[in-house]
Amino acid sequence: MNGEINLLTLLSLVVAVVAIVKLRSVLGRKTNDDDARIEQRRREAQMQRTAASPSEKVVALPRRDREPEPADSAVSVAEVEARIKSFAGDDTALAERLTDILKLDSKFDPDSFLRGARQAYEMIVTAFAEGNRRTLRDLLSADVLDSFSRAIAEREQRGQVIDQSFVGINKADILEAEVSTKGVASITVRFVSQLISATRDKAGNVIEGDDSRIKDVTDIWTFSRDISTKDARRNLNWKLVGTQAPN
């Protein structure tokens, strides 16, 4: 009796071991389809990480997103001079000053400059409202950055925040331009924009502005860039060096 029980038990154990071995051989086998699925998931995860971490580079002013075009398709100095005259209209003094910039920087173009200026304006206005000093550091001169930073610090000390939505820029015009004796170019631009802006206190109450009304805003800003040497001209970033209220 004991012999039969031991034999049956042994046979059951053998059957169980064989079943486990076969099961493991099936579950542990990796097929080409499995490899393909794993690689696809890895690529998807990488794409998600890339999308979640956008470049922190700021917009250069004027912006150069592409490699230089071939020489045969490049805009000639004569073409830019014609653009400047058309751009300045009856303001011959402005045309002369813009041409002075072109003489030192053959890549200068007023239309490209204004496109970059509009982008920079939106970035600066938004960064100031958000208290984003990092973005401001790349777009402002040292003096203007100090002024903006003090205003942000005072706002933070009072526990106030700016709730702002940038609607858009209606118009951007070049008012003045000049090149200093040291080869520093300066261009003054008048921006007419629309914002929804309200300042809130610690409790979230609106103490200035209106969070439900679009406001027309006019700013006059001066941008500057060193174009005195070939090395200096490699830095394409114009910086905000001054602001003034419209008359």
PDB file of all heavy atoms in Angstrom, residues 185-201:
ATOM      1  N   ALA A 185      24.725  99.500 -33.538  1.00  0.00           N
ATOM      2  CA  ALA A 185      23.479  99.877 -34.212  1.00  0.00           C
ATOM      3  C   ALA A 185      22.328  99.895 -33.210  1.00  0.00           C
ATOM      4  O   ALA A 185      22.226  99.020 -32.346  1.00  0.00           O
ATOM      5  CB  ALA A 185      23.175  98.896 -35.338  1.00  0.00           C
ATOM      6  N   SER A 186      21.463 100.897 -33.347  1.00  0.00           N
ATOM      7  CA  SER A 186      20.281 101.007 -32.492  1.00  0.00           C
ATOM      8  C   SER A 186      19.074 101.298 -33.367  1.00  0.00           C
ATOM      9  O   SER A 186      19.146 102.127 -34.276  1.00  0.00           O
ATOM     10  CB  SER A 186      20.449 102.119 -31.458  1.00  0.00           C
ATOM     11  OG  SER A 186      21.535 101.847 -30.591  1.00  0.00           O
ATOM     12  N   ILE A 187      17.974 100.614 -33.082  1.00  0.00           N
ATOM     13  CA  ILE A 187      16.730 100.806 -33.837  1.00  0.00           C
ATOM     14  C   ILE A 187      15.583 100.936 -32.837  1.00  0.00           C
ATOM     15  O   ILE A 187      15.436 100.104 -31.935  1.00  0.00           O
ATOM     16  CB  ILE A 187      16.462  99.627 -34.793  1.00  0.00           C
ATOM     17  CG1 ILE A 187      17.604  99.492 -35.802  1.00  0.00           C
ATOM     18  CG2 ILE A 187      15.138  99.821 -35.517  1.00  0.00           C
ATOM     19  CD1 ILE A 187      17.424  98.336 -36.773  1.00  0.00           C
ATOM     20  N   THR A 188      14.791 101.978 -33.006  1.00  0.00           N
ATOM     21  CA  THR A 188      13.646 102.225 -32.125  1.00  0.00           C
ATOM     22  C   THR A 188      12.363 101.830 -32.840  1.00  0.00           C
ATOM     23  O   THR A 188      12.129 102.240 -33.983  1.00  0.00           O
ATOM     24  CB  THR A 188      13.581 103.701 -31.711  1.00  0.00           C
ATOM     25  OG1 THR A 188      14.791 104.053 -31.017  1.00  0.00           O
ATOM     26  CG2 THR A 188      12.394 103.961 -30.804  1.00  0.00           C
ATOM     27  N   VAL A 189      11.542 101.045 -32.156  1.00  0.00           N
ATOM     28  CA  VAL A 189      10.323 100.495 -32.742  1.00  0.00           C
ATOM     29  C   VAL A 189       9.122 100.868 -31.875  1.00  0.00           C
ATOM     30  O   VAL A 189       9.185 100.801 -30.642  1.00  0.00           O
ATOM     31  CB  VAL A 189      10.401  98.959 -32.862  1.00  0.00           C
ATOM     32  CG1 VAL A 189       9.150  98.399 -33.524  1.00  0.00           C
ATOM     33  CG2 VAL A 189      11.652  98.540 -33.632  1.00  0.00           C
ATOM     34  N   ARG A 190       8.044 101.252 -32.529  1.00  0.00           N
ATOM     35  CA  ARG A 190       6.777 101.484 -31.817  1.00  0.00           C
ATOM     36  C   ARG A 190       5.868 100.275 -32.044  1.00  0.00           C
ATOM     37  O   ARG A 190       5.566  99.917 -33.173  1.00  0.00           O
ATOM     38  CB  ARG A 190       6.092 102.753 -32.324  1.00  0.00           C
ATOM     39  CG  ARG A 190       4.726 103.012 -31.648  1.00  0.00           C
ATOM     40  CD  ARG A 190       4.141 104.330 -32.104  1.00  0.00           C
ATOM     41  NE  ARG A 190       4.039 104.376 -33.564  1.00  0.00           N
ATOM     42  CZ  ARG A 190       4.098 105.499 -34.277  1.00  0.00           C
ATOM     43  NH1 ARG A 190       4.276 106.656 -33.679  1.00  0.00           N
ATOM     44  NH2 ARG A 190       3.985 105.460 -35.592  1.00  0.00           N
ATOM     45  N   PHE A 191       5.455  99.668 -30.928  1.00  0.00           N
ATOM     46  CA  PHE A 191       4.558  98.509 -30.978  1.00  0.00           C
ATOM     47  C   PHE A 191       3.162  98.933 -30.523  1.00  0.00           C
ATOM     48  O   PHE A 191       3.021  99.609 -29.504  1.00  0.00           O
ATOM     49  CB  PHE A 191       5.046  97.391 -30.056  1.00  0.00           C
ATOM     50  CG  PHE A 191       6.394  96.828 -30.413  1.00  0.00           C
ATOM     51  CD1 PHE A 191       7.541  97.288 -29.787  1.00  0.00           C
ATOM     52  CD2 PHE A 191       6.519  95.832 -31.373  1.00  0.00           C
ATOM     53  CE1 PHE A 191       8.783  96.765 -30.106  1.00  0.00           C
ATOM     54  CE2 PHE A 191       7.753  95.298 -31.703  1.00  0.00           C
ATOM     55  CZ  PHE A 191       8.898  95.769 -31.065  1.00  0.00           C
ATOM     56  N   VAL A 192       2.162  98.512 -31.268  1.00  0.00           N
ATOM     57  CA  VAL A 192       0.771  98.680 -30.853  1.00  0.00           C
ATOM     58  C   VAL A 192       0.206  97.268 -30.705  1.00  0.00           C
ATOM     59  O   VAL A 192       0.069  96.539 -31.683  1.00  0.00           O
ATOM     60  CB  VAL A 192      -0.041  99.486 -31.879  1.00  0.00           C
ATOM     61  CG1 VAL A 192      -1.486  99.624 -31.403  1.00  0.00           C
ATOM     62  CG2 VAL A 192       0.582 100.862 -32.107  1.00  0.00           C
ATOM     63  N   SER A 193      -0.086  96.888 -29.461  1.00  0.00           N
ATOM     64  CA  SER A 193      -0.504  95.510 -29.188  1.00  0.00           C
ATOM     65  C   SER A 193      -1.798  95.482 -28.388  1.00  0.00           C
ATOM     66  O   SER A 193      -2.300  96.524 -27.948  1.00  0.00           O
ATOM     67  CB  SER A 193       0.592  94.770 -28.417  1.00  0.00           C
ATOM     68  OG  SER A 193       0.799  95.369 -27.143  1.00  0.00           O
ATOM     69  N   GLN A 194      -2.308  94.278 -28.204  1.00  0.00           N
ATOM     70  CA  GLN A 194      -3.512  94.068 -27.396  1.00  0.00           C
ATOM     71  C   GLN A 194      -3.238  93.002 -26.346  1.00  0.00           C
ATOM     72  O   GLN A 194      -2.694  91.933 -26.658  1.00  0.00           O
ATOM     73  CB  GLN A 194      -4.684  93.641 -28.277  1.00  0.00           C
ATOM     74  CG  GLN A 194      -5.207  94.747 -29.185  1.00  0.00           C
ATOM     75  CD  GLN A 194      -6.469  94.342 -29.912  1.00  0.00           C
ATOM     76  OE1 GLN A 194      -6.628  93.199 -30.330  1.00  0.00           O
ATOM     77  NE2 GLN A 194      -7.410  95.281 -30.056  1.00  0.00           N
ATOM     78  N   LEU A 195      -3.609  93.310 -25.109  1.00  0.00           N
ATOM     79  CA  LEU A 195      -3.396  92.405 -23.984  1.00  0.00           C
ATOM     80  C   LEU A 195      -4.665  92.314 -23.146  1.00  0.00           C
ATOM     81  O   LEU A 195      -5.470  93.245 -23.097  1.00  0.00           O
ATOM     82  CB  LEU A 195      -2.262  92.904 -23.075  1.00  0.00           C
ATOM     83  CG  LEU A 195      -0.876  93.134 -23.670  1.00  0.00           C
ATOM     84  CD1 LEU A 195       0.011  93.811 -22.625  1.00  0.00           C
ATOM     85  CD2 LEU A 195      -0.259  91.812 -24.093  1.00  0.00           C
ATOM     86  N   ILE A 196      -4.806  91.179 -22.472  1.00  0.00           N
ATOM     87  CA  ILE A 196      -5.765  91.058 -21.373  1.00  0.00           C
ATOM     88  C   ILE A 196      -4.915  90.883 -20.127  1.00  0.00           C
ATOM     89  O   ILE A 196      -4.205  89.883 -19.986  1.00  0.00           O
ATOM     90  CB  ILE A 196      -6.702  89.853 -21.551  1.00  0.00           C
ATOM     91  CG1 ILE A 196      -7.496  89.987 -22.847  1.00  0.00           C
ATOM     92  CG2 ILE A 196      -7.655  89.731 -20.363  1.00  0.00           C
ATOM     93  CD1 ILE A 196      -8.339  88.769 -23.180  1.00  0.00           C
ATOM     94  N   SER A 197      -4.929  91.867 -19.247  1.00  0.00           N
ATOM     95  CA  SER A 197      -3.995  91.849 -18.122  1.00  0.00           C
ATOM     96  C   SER A 197      -4.666  92.342 -16.846  1.00  0.00           C
ATOM     97  O   SER A 197      -5.419  93.329 -16.863  1.00  0.00           O
ATOM     98  CB  SER A 197      -2.784  92.734 -18.438  1.00  0.00           C
ATOM     99  OG  SER A 197      -1.841  92.711 -17.393  1.00  0.00           O
ATOM    100  N   ALA A 198      -4.371  91.637 -15.758  1.00  0.00           N
ATOM    101  CA  ALA A 198      -4.891  92.030 -14.448  1.00  0.00           C
ATOM    102  C   ALA A 198      -3.878  91.635 -13.380  1.00  0.00           C
ATOM    103  O   ALA A 198      -3.295  90.555 -13.434  1.00  0.00           O
ATOM    104  CB  ALA A 198      -6.235  91.367 -14.169  1.00  0.00           C
ATOM    105  N   THR A 199      -3.662  92.525 -12.421  1.00  0.00           N
ATOM    106  CA  THR A 199      -2.784  92.249 -11.293  1.00  0.00           C
ATOM    107  C   THR A 199      -3.633  91.807 -10.110  1.00  0.00           C
ATOM    108  O   THR A 199      -4.614  92.476  -9.761  1.00  0.00           O
ATOM    109  CB  THR A 199      -1.962  93.485 -10.910  1.00  0.00           C
ATOM    110  OG1 THR A 199      -1.185  93.913 -12.037  1.00  0.00           O
ATOM    111  CG2 THR A 199      -1.022  93.173  -9.745  1.00  0.00           C
ATOM    112  N   ARG A 200      -3.252  90.686  -9.492  1.00  0.00           N
ATOM    113  CA  ARG A 200      -4.012  90.138  -8.364  1.00  0.00           C
ATOM    114  C   ARG A 200      -3.185  90.193  -7.083  1.00  0.00           C
ATOM    115  O   ARG A 200      -1.956  90.028  -7.119  1.00  0.00           O
ATOM    116  CB  ARG A 200      -4.426  88.684  -8.643  1.00  0.00           C
ATOM    117  CG  ARG A 200      -5.304  88.530  -9.887  1.00  0.00           C
ATOM    118  CD  ARG A 200      -5.696  87.075 -10.101  1.00  0.00           C
ATOM    119  NE  ARG A 200      -6.486  86.899 -11.324  1.00  0.00           N
ATOM    120  CZ  ARG A 200      -7.797  87.059 -11.394  1.00  0.00           C
ATOM    121  NH1 ARG A 200      -8.478  87.386 -10.295  1.00  0.00           N
ATOM    122  NH2 ARG A 200      -8.443  86.886 -12.536  1.00  0.00           N
ATOM    123  N   ASP A 201      -3.878  90.393  -5.950  1.00  0.00           N
ATOM    124  CA  ASP A 201      -3.194  90.385  -4.662  1.00  0.00           C
ATOM    125  C   ASP A 201      -3.086  88.963  -4.130  1.00  0.00           C
ATOM    126  O   ASP A 201      -3.416  87.994  -4.830  1.00  0.00           O
ATOM    127  CB  ASP A 201      -3.912  91.294  -3.666  1.00  0.00           C
ATOM    128  CG  ASP A 201      -5.356  90.858  -3.422  1.00  0.00           C
ATOM    129  OD1 ASP A 201      -5.699  89.690  -3.752  1.00  0.00           O
ATOM    130  OD2 ASP A 201      -6.144  91.657  -2.894  1.00  0.00           O
TER     131      ASP A 201
END
